[in-house]
């Protein structure tokens, strides 16, 4: 996912110190999903034959969108996932009845058309699937001077910026809108959150893939990409099994991790050096909590951002904490009377602090406690004096090493740090025939819409244009 690089975002607007505005409840919930969180059985049994038209490495959102469309296009496709659950950074996990999102928690929306058209929703339309969502239009912002409610949609935001900060702030904000937030400030726009958690998004994508004959293999770690006669012909698994690809191999791993799967001489040195020279974002600190809802305000909102020092910028380490409390909208994500919370530092935690540490060592545990304190303090500010960290029923701290281990990402990175206008992404094709890549390191943009689009682009690249027309006609587009 591309990094945001801006100096000071001018949010220093008028509000009353210490007074928290009331937060809106969800405004709508779409009809229930028939199986929001599938039980992935036979996790160690390879599904079907050891070959396919297209082999997809990795079951992140990009890989699943690619595989889903290929299955819809009647291609024999199999997704190989090294983890025991699908989803990559979007996977969910459960502890003591609390269902945690491991990654994305702020979705622009799940509309397939209109001002908030989302490539993920378009893929779901093609697969005949949907995600039940709750809608809302604001999140809380906390800075040293106080706190305020930030709303999306048409507003007097430009006037506020000009009045309280100055015309330079207005220009900075307009530049940022071009890059990321523009659709949030159009008439009729809302934010949406899947009420069954991000795992339900993964679930419907898997359902769509399997409905059209596609396959998913879990605990299927790809050891290397096979190359024969100058073409990608399949993969070798860590089990020793060979999975042949008749038409293409698509890697949803990062570009750097994909290079490590290839023979040293398979790709031109110039291409390899270009990929290795691409600047990367730092990693994450994560805090997952499960606690009693009775000790926090009743009007608690789902999303919060805490900025400790606005002058340092949002990409400074230990400065910004994002907090998501999805059980505010999705009651089933936590036991009755409880809340589930995910706090994280967004791609700003230096991997170098953790490199080489033994995860079982006292030094590692000390550093976890030290570097997680900024998240604990942010949570305490958001939840108020009634919250006591020692009373949490679940408390998990994740580090860059956790990020690297479970997502198999080089140095646990958030993705390329390519500044807008100062560099380009490598794209989806590679110098090796029949090898394509999708995911956050191939396509510009932030988060789920960008990776979903990247997967859709690769899928459409691998089939004739006539297939595109057939699908468009079917969807009435």
């Amino acid at each position: 996912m591309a990094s945001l690089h801006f100096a000071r975002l001018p949010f220093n607007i008028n509000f009353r110190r210490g007074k928290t505005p009331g937060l809106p409840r969800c405004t709508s919930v779409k009809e229930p999903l028939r199986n929001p969180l599938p039980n992935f059985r036979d996790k160690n049994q390879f599904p079907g034959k050891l070959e396919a038209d297209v082999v997809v490495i990795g079951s992140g959102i990009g890989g699943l969108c690619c595989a889903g469309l290929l299955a819809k296009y009647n291609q024999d496709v199999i997704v190989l996932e090294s983890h025991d659950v699908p989803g990559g950074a979007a996977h969910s996990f459960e502890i003591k009845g609390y269902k945690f999102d491991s990654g994305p928690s702020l979705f622009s929306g799940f509309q397939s058309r209109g001002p908030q058209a989302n490539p993920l929703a378009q893929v779901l339309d093609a697969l005949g699937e949907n995600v039940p969502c709750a809608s809302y239009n604001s999140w809380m912002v906390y800075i040293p001077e106080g706190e305020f409610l930030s709303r999306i949609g048409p507003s007097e935001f430009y006037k506020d910026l000009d009045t309280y900060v100055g015309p330079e702030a207005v220009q900075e904000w307009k530049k940022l809108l071009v890059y990321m937030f523009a659709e949030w400030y159009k008439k009729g726009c809302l934010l949406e959150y899947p009420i069954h958690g991000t795992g339900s998004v993964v679930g419907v994508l898997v359902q769509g893939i399997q409905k059209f004959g596609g396959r998913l293999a879990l605990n299927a770690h790809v050891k290397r990409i096979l190359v024969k006669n100058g073409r990608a012909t399949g993969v070798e698994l860590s089990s020793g099994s060979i999975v042949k690809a008749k038409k293409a191999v698509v890697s949803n791993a990062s570009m750097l991790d994909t290079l490590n799967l290839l023979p040293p001489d398979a790709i031109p040195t110039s291409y390899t050096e270009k990929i290795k020279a691409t600047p990367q974002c730092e990693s994450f600190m994560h805090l997952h909590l499960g606690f009693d809802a009775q000790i926090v305000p009743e009007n608690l909102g789902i999303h919060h951002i805490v900025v400790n020092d606005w002058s340092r910028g949002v990409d400074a380490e230990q400065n910004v904490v994002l907090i998501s409390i999805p059980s505010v909208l999705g009651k089933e994500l936590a036991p009755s009377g409880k809340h589930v919370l995910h706090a994280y530092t967004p791609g700003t935690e230096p991997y170098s602090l953790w490199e080489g540490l033994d995860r079982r060592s006292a030094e590692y545990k000390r550093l976890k406690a030290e570097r997680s304190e900024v998240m604990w303090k942010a949570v305490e500010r958001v939840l108020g004096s009634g919250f006591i960290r020692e009373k949490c029923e679940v408390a998990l701290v994740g580090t860059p090493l956790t990020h690297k281990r479970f997502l198999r990402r080089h140095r646990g990175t958030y993705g390329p740090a390519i500044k807008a206008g100062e560099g380009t992404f490598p794209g989806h094709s590679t110098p090796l025939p029949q090898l394509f890549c999708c995911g956050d390191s191939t396509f510009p943009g932030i988060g789920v819409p960008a990776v979903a689009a990247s997967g859709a682009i690769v899928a459409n690249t691998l089939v004739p244009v006539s297939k595109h027309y057939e699908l468009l006609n079917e969807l009435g587009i």
Side-chain angles (χ1 to χ4, degrees):
M1 304 173 195
S3 172
L4 291 179
H5 288 266
F6 30 81
R8 289 185 61 202
L9 277 186
F11 263 135
N12 206 5
I13 62 178
N14 192 23
F15 53 87
R16 295 183 180 179
R17 182 186 303 270
K19 185 175 181 180
T20 305
L23 298 177
R25 300 292 183 183
C26 66
T27 58
S28 67
V29 177
K30 298 176 183 177
E31 66 179 82
L33 189 67
R34 63 178 181 274
N35 187 13
L37 292 173
N39 180 23
F40 299 103
R41 298 185 176 89
D42 300 325
K43 294 181 179 180
N44 295 306
Q45 180 178 336
F46 196 88
K49 57 187 177 181
L50 291 168
E51 68 174 12
D53 291 332
V54 180
V55 172
V56 177
I57 304 171
S59 66
I61 295 293
L64 293 176
C65 285
C66 180
L69 283 180
L70 287 171
K72 173 69 176 181
Y73 288 137
N74 297 315
Q75 301 296 297
D76 181 16
V77 61
I78 185 165
V79 181
L80 305 175
E81 171 56 52
S82 62
H83 206 350
D84 60 0
V85 293
H91 81 272
S92 294
F93 60 96
E94 183 173 344
I95 296 178
K96 296 182 179 180
Y98 293 94
K99 300 178 180 68
F100 293 101
D101 292 341
S102 66
S105 57
L106 179 59
F107 295 84
S108 293
F110 283 86
Q111 308 303 314
S112 58
R113 306 183 192 185
Q116 284 181 283
N118 186 332
L120 172 59
Q122 293 166 350
V123 171
L124 293 177
D125 275 1
L127 299 178
E129 301 287 345
N130 69 85
V131 178
C133 296
S135 301
Y136 60 105
N137 66 356
S138 62
W139 66 93
M140 282 297 298
V141 179
Y142 304 78
I143 57 178
E145 296 79 7
E147 56 200 52
F148 63 95
L149 188 70
S150 177
R151 296 183 184 275
I152 69 168
S155 68
E156 299 295 301
F157 201 46
Y158 286 152
K159 291 182 180 179
D160 290 332
L161 292 179
D162 188 49
T163 300
Y164 296 105
V165 187
E168 298 83 3
V170 174
Q171 294 306 312
E172 288 180 19
W173 183 253
K174 287 182 177 180
K175 290 178 182 178
L176 182 60
L177 290 183
V178 172
Y179 186 60
M180 180 179 177
F181 295 122
E183 72 274 12
W184 290 10
Y185 293 91
K186 296 177 181 178
K187 184 178 180 180
C189 289
L190 290 171
L191 298 174
E192 290 185 288
Y193 181 81
I195 60 174
H196 300 299
T198 58
S200 64
V201 178
V202 175
V204 294
L205 285 171
V206 172
Q207 285 177 176
I209 291 169
Q210 294 176 336
K211 178 170 62 179
F212 291 101
R215 294 174 285 157
L216 167 68
L218 300 174
N219 293 307
H221 177 61
V222 173
K223 180 179 179 181
R224 63 190 179 104
I225 297 172
L226 302 177
V227 178
K228 184 177 181 181
N229 298 326
R231 310 178 78 83
T233 59
V235 301
E236 179 184 355
L237 304 181
S238 58
S239 65
S241 297
I242 302 295
V243 185
K244 296 179 181 179
K246 297 177 183 177
K247 295 183 178 180
V249 173
V250 178
S251 177
N252 189 208
S254 75
M255 296 296 292
L256 284 169
D257 292 300
T258 300
L259 288 179
N260 292 332
L261 298 175
L262 289 165
D265 58 350
I267 295 286
T269 302
S270 59
Y271 183 83
T272 300
E273 290 177 348
K274 178 183 178 181
I275 297 301
K276 290 183 176 180
T278 302
Q280 300 290 312
C281 293
E282 294 290 1
S283 192
F284 285 76
M285 289 295 295
H286 293 274
L287 181 63
H288 289 96
L289 303 177
F291 54 90
D292 195 328
Q294 302 302 315
I295 63 176
V296 298
E298 290 185 5
N299 64 341
L300 192 64
I302 179 174
H303 285 119
H304 309 256
I305 178 172
V306 179
V307 182
N308 294 317
D309 183 353
W310 204 251
S311 66
R312 292 179 60 202
V314 296
D315 54 358
E317 65 178 86
Q318 297 275 288
N319 189 37
V320 175
V321 177
L322 300 179
I323 297 174
S324 173
I325 312 171
S327 50
V328 168
L329 300 180
K331 301 300 183 182
E332 70 172 47
L333 297 176
S336 179
K338 310 290 183 179
H339 273 314
V340 61
L341 180 149
H342 178 204
Y344 55 97
T345 56
T348 59
E349 180 66 10
Y351 184 81
S352 58
L353 296 176
W354 304 85
E355 193 166 13
L357 289 182
D358 184 340
R359 293 183 293 104
R360 297 164 294 184
S361 68
E363 182 182 5
Y364 178 71
K365 294 176 182 177
R366 176 196 61 77
L367 192 59
K368 279 180 70 172
E370 175 186 315
R371 300 295 289 183
S372 64
E373 187 63 21
V374 67
M375 297 184 293
W376 280 109
K377 288 181 178 178
V379 169
E380 288 169 344
R381 181 174 182 185
V382 168
L383 298 185
S385 59
F387 173 79
I388 301 175
R389 64 174 75 177
E390 291 79 12
K391 292 188 177 181
C392 289
E393 296 180 11
V394 176
L396 305 171
V397 175
T399 73
L401 297 187
T402 312
H403 214 64
K404 178 182 178 181
R405 177 189 177 197
F406 285 100
L407 299 184
R408 298 189 182 274
R409 290 187 67 95
H410 177 73
R411 297 176 68 84
T413 181
Y414 183 45
I418 300 176
K419 296 182 181 180
E422 296 186 17
T424 58
F425 284 75
H428 305 97
S429 61
T430 73
L432 182 64
Q434 295 185 185
L435 176 63
F436 297 83
C437 294
C438 65
D440 62 4
S441 63
T442 66
F443 191 75
I446 296 291
V448 168
V451 295
S454 76
I457 289 171
V458 174
N460 285 320
T461 300
L462 294 174
V463 299
V465 175
S466 59
K467 290 287 187 181
H468 306 175
Y469 285 126
E470 289 176 10
L471 180 58
L472 292 174
N473 287 332
E474 179 182 329
L475 296 176
I477 297 175

